[in-house]
Amino acid sequence: MLRMVRLTLTEDVEAVVLIVRTVHLSQRPAQTSQCRQTDSDFIPLNEERLQRFQKALGFESVSRDSGDSNTDEIFKFGEFIIASFPHIHRHSPLVTWERVNNLSLLYHIQGNDPSLKPYLLMAHIDVVPVTNLDQWDAPPFSGEVKDGFIYGRGTIDDKNNVMGILEATEFMLSSNIKPKRSFYISFGHDEETRGNAGASQVANLLRQKGVKEVEFIVDEGMTVLEGIIDGVAGPVASVGVTEKGIVLLNLSVELPPGHSSMPPRETAIGILARAVLRLEENPHPSMLGAGVETDMFESLVPKMSYLQRVVISNIWLFRYPLSWLLSRKPSTNAVIRTVTAVTIFNSGVKFNMIPPLAEAKVNHRVHPSQTIQEVVDYDRAVINDPRVKIEVVYSMEPHPVAGHGESDFGYQVLRTSVRQIWPEAVVVPAIMVGNTDTFNFLNFSTNVYRFSPTHMFPGDPERFHGINERMSVKNYEQVINFFYHLIRNADQAGLSPVHSAHPDL
Ligand SMILES: *[C@@H]1O[C@H](CO)[C@@H](O)[C@H](O)[C@H]1NC(C)=O
Ligand SMILES: *[C@@H]1O[C@H](CO)[C@@H](O)[C@H](O)[C@H]1NC(C)=O
Ligand SMILES: *[C@@H]1O[C@H](CO)[C@@H](O)[C@H](O)[C@H]1NC(C)=O
């Protein structure tokens, strides 16, 4: 009886806390003025700008494999860029630029306030190859406009960002606007193959020039999603504030070979099969409540139904049922934990021979709240069999988590710029499940934001590296203006103090 009473009391207290927190998280400030076509500094997508983008899409600047790319086309695309933006490349005394390793490009735009730390904008000029040519609605290197969409390989990955950054910078310089804060622009040429001839050489060059630190970095990444996240209405601008790490493992079991007429009780295949099964049956623990994904769900609150709000505002309370729910879908499961994919399994020589060796390859994508060592230790404990040899073939730690609070300058610059273009959007920090060129620049700043101002609707995410890659004409205009606002907003000396929206209960 006593226990019952106490239980109700606790529940009452929890209910009150719950409501307080729900209300609190729902009241996010929104103090941005929208970008309008009538603004004196609005950059309209006139015929000239549209044609420049279409021409950029015409270059078959394809990277196939590390060291295997259309270097001539990549070089020509660079020549086109240099010829097309006269203020950046010739007239402006504020800009210095150079080719890096012949095919990549690095720019420095001098600001007039040397006390402000510079920042870095990144994009890449190579694209992935085209497949299923017959299924495209327009030729992939045509830049053709059809029903309001610009088609072509590179429209969302990543010539949109290359050309958007250039148009915004050219507009600023040709309007005689001098930035206060200096910035760098890096266009790598081998992002798609994670090569080390492009962005990695740009990073080396920056280091040689004595650059040690930048205020923040913006590179391609996550996008503005609409109608894609279950139960969330309106656009959501997801900003990748970290990237998952990678561990590739080689599991093997070696046993003396023998004849199949007198088999041992267990074979290498059986032992390894059990190990693999244990890995699949014991997924890595849910990290919900421990990191970025919690901040992401909480930032989504203003766009949710009341019931969702109550749950999401109180992840500390609903952690277990919520983890269970999110684990059921591969796309959300990937956000809350280190995932495990057994990708190769090899063994066996002959029908009548006991196999001497069984080998399996395991591909882990590591949650930012875990380390590589923790992942390997967990696997070892789960497999719990010394006959299974576990070797790390390749690994990369998850990237540090970039600041994404009310007092993080880079994040707030990005957030403000997004809301000027998409006033109804919520901006949420997120974990990027894939990887980009940013790993080369982690020594320059922990504030790395992976975001592309691409507005995506259901069906669009499949266009990344896929068929009918395209961007609406309107969206491309938004891309240009987004980068222009970003450059202007970064000229602020700092943030004015804002009250934290995250009270610790
Ligand atoms: C740069 O690349 C282009 C295209 O492959 C090539 O024609 C040119 O000779 C290269 N220049 C240098 C200096 O390597
Ligand atoms: C995996 O381990 C086995 C056994 O040690 C070895 O023969 C094989 O070369 C390894 N494979 C890789 C990709 O490291
Ligand atoms: C970053 O700095 C560390 C320590 O100086 C160094 O070991 C590492 O190689 C650097 N990373 C890159 C990508 O340059």
Side-chain angles (χ1 to χ4, degrees):
M1 190 63 197
L2 198 71
R3 241 189 109 222
M4 277 280 296
V5 172
R6 206 187 280 140
L7 231 165
T8 339
L9 211 109
T10 330
E11 275 169 359
D12 282 349
V13 171
E14 280 179 356
V16 171
V17 171
L18 215 127
I19 288 161
V20 169
R21 236 181 111 77
T22 307
V23 168
H24 210 103
L25 278 174
S26 314
Q27 296 169 342
R28 283 268 170 146
Q31 359 62 336
T32 13
S33 61
Q34 187 184 350
C35 159
R36 289 176 202 284
Q37 299 202 346
T38 49
D39 292 348
S40 62
D41 61 353
F42 180 83
I43 309 175
L45 183 61
N46 54 22
E47 199 51 38
E48 202 185 313
R49 292 190 178 98
L50 177 60
Q51 277 178 12
R52 263 199 294 271
F53 188 42
Q54 292 176 296
K55 283 189 187 145
L57 294 167
F59 295 94
E60 300 193 22
S61 53
V62 173
S63 281
R64 277 173 298 269
D65 214 334
S66 194
D68 175 14
S69 59
N70 291 353
T71 45
D72 285 351
E73 283 287 296
I74 293 174
F75 185 77
K76 277 194 218 151
F77 183 23
E79 296 260 85
F80 167 77
I81 288 172
I82 292 162
S84 304
F85 297 97
H87 285 87
I88 298 175
H89 296 91
R90 284 178 291 287
H91 304 332
S92 174
L94 302 177
V95 184
T96 47
W97 65 273
E98 60 198 291
R99 292 177 180 281
V100 181
N101 209 0
N102 196 23
L103 303 177
S104 291
L105 288 162
L106 172 65
Y107 301 83
H108 178 252
I109 294 88
Q110 182 68 51
N112 55 27
D113 186 346
S115 72
L116 301 177
K117 220 188 285 170
Y119 61 100
L120 167 68
L121 302 177
M122 293 171 62
H124 63 88
I125 58 180
D126 60 327
V127 295
V128 293
V130 168
T131 58
N132 306 75
L133 193 55
D134 54 320
Q135 291 173 48
W136 283 66
D137 295 337
F141 292 102
S142 64
E144 200 176 306
V145 177
K146 248 179 140 171
D147 303 325
F149 288 92
I150 310 160
Y151 279 79
R153 185 53 95 220
T155 43
I156 57 174
D157 181 13
D158 187 32
K159 289 179 176 174
N160 51 331
N161 290 340
V162 170
M163 296 302 281
I165 291 169
L166 287 165
E167 291 289 356
T169 308
E170 180 77 8
F171 177 86
M172 177 185 72
L173 296 171
S174 66
S175 315
N176 232 350
I177 296 167
K178 296 184 173 62
K180 289 202 191 77
R181 192 186 290 273
S182 299
F183 61 103
Y184 294 93
I185 302 171
S186 164
F187 295 144
H189 72 268
D190 62 359
E191 192 277 339
E192 296 295 359
T193 53
R194 287 178 76 74
N196 49 20
S200 130
Q201 298 303 315
V202 173
N204 286 342
L205 183 63
L206 277 180
R207 245 185 302 274
Q208 277 167 28
K209 287 176 184 289
V211 181
K212 290 198 172 58
E213 205 185 359
V214 295
E215 181 66 45
F216 64 90
I217 298 173
V218 177
D219 191 14
E220 63 163 341
M222 303 180 80
T223 61
V224 181
L225 303 171
E226 189 157 354
I228 293 178
I229 305 175
D230 280 348
V232 178
V236 174
S238 45
V239 177
V241 294
T242 177
E243 286 171 37
K244 287 185 102 173
I246 302 177
V247 186
L248 304 182
L249 296 176
N250 181 20
L251 307 186
S252 55
V253 177
E254 278 181 277
L255 287 181
H259 196 271
S260 56
S261 55
M262 287 183 295
R265 209 174 51 83
E266 286 176 299
T267 62
I269 295 179
I271 295 167
L272 192 61
R274 187 170 321 114
V276 162
L277 191 64
R278 283 190 184 145
L279 286 184
E280 290 191 343
E281 284 179 344
N282 297 280
H284 281 258
S286 161
M287 291 288 142
L288 193 63
V292 176
E293 67 295 326
T294 304
D295 300 341
M296 175 182 82
F297 288 123
E298 290 188 353
S299 305
L300 280 173
V301 156
K303 294 282 181 189
M304 289 181 159
S305 70
Y306 185 76
L307 195 68
Q308 284 174 318
R309 279 183 196 196
V310 171
V311 173
I312 296 296
S313 310
N314 297 279
I315 286 176
W316 57 280
L317 188 61
F318 295 110
R319 180 142 129 230
Y320 295 104
L322 201 56
S323 282
W324 176 82
L325 205 67
L326 294 168
S327 300
R328 301 201 311 168
K329 221 170 127 184
S331 59
T332 46
N333 187 45
V335 170
I336 61 170
R337 61 161 49 87
T338 295
V339 288
T340 305
V342 182
T343 49
I344 296 178
F345 197 111
N346 275 330
S347 186
V349 186
K350 277 178 81 183
F351 217 133
N352 62 1
M353 187 177 158
I354 301 299
L357 172 71
E359 227 185 277
K361 305 277 188 282
V362 178
N363 189 328
H364 282 300
R365 298 306 170 104
V366 184
H367 190 278
S369 300
Q370 272 187 321
T371 63
I372 286 162
Q373 191 59 50
E374 282 167 2
V375 170
V376 177
D377 290 347
Y378 180 90
D379 285 358
R380 207 178 294 280
V382 162
I383 291 173
N384 190 23
D385 187 339
R387 294 171 297 178
V388 180
K389 195 162 114 196
I390 303 172
E391 274 175 286
V392 177
V393 179
Y394 172 83
S395 68
M396 181 183 72
E397 293 284 357
H399 290 191
V401 177
H404 51 277
E406 300 289 335
S407 57
D408 290 298
F409 180 71
Y411 189 72
Q412 292 306 326
V413 163
L414 200 66
R415 185 167 176 250
T416 303
S417 312
V418 167
R419 307 216 26 184
Q420 284 174 305
I421 308 296
W422 289 278
E424 66 291 11
V426 279
V427 180
V428 307
I431 297 173
M432 183 132 157
V433 179
N435 297 105
T436 69
D437 262 345
T438 55
F439 72 98
N440 295 296
F441 293 87
L442 295 179
N443 280 357
F444 292 99
S445 178
T446 45
N447 293 322
V448 181
Y449 303 105
R450 301 141 188 94
F451 176 74
S452 301
T454 305
H455 198 168
M456 300 193 125
F457 295 89
D460 286 340
E462 289 77 54
R463 297 177 198 274
F464 266 114
H465 293 195
I467 299 161
N468 283 325
E469 185 177 344
R470 66 179 195 186
M471 171 173 277
S472 73
V473 172
K474 170 165 179 258
N475 193 180
Y476 182 56
E477 185 173 68
Q478 291 172 314
V479 170
I480 297 173
N481 284 283
F482 167 80
F483 282 114
Y484 182 69
H485 283 294
L486 183 74
I487 292 168
R488 303 294 288 148
N489 292 330
D491 266 355
Q492 313 276 335
L495 290 164
S496 47
V498 186
H499 288 292
S500 168
H502 277 268
D504 262 329
L505 281 168

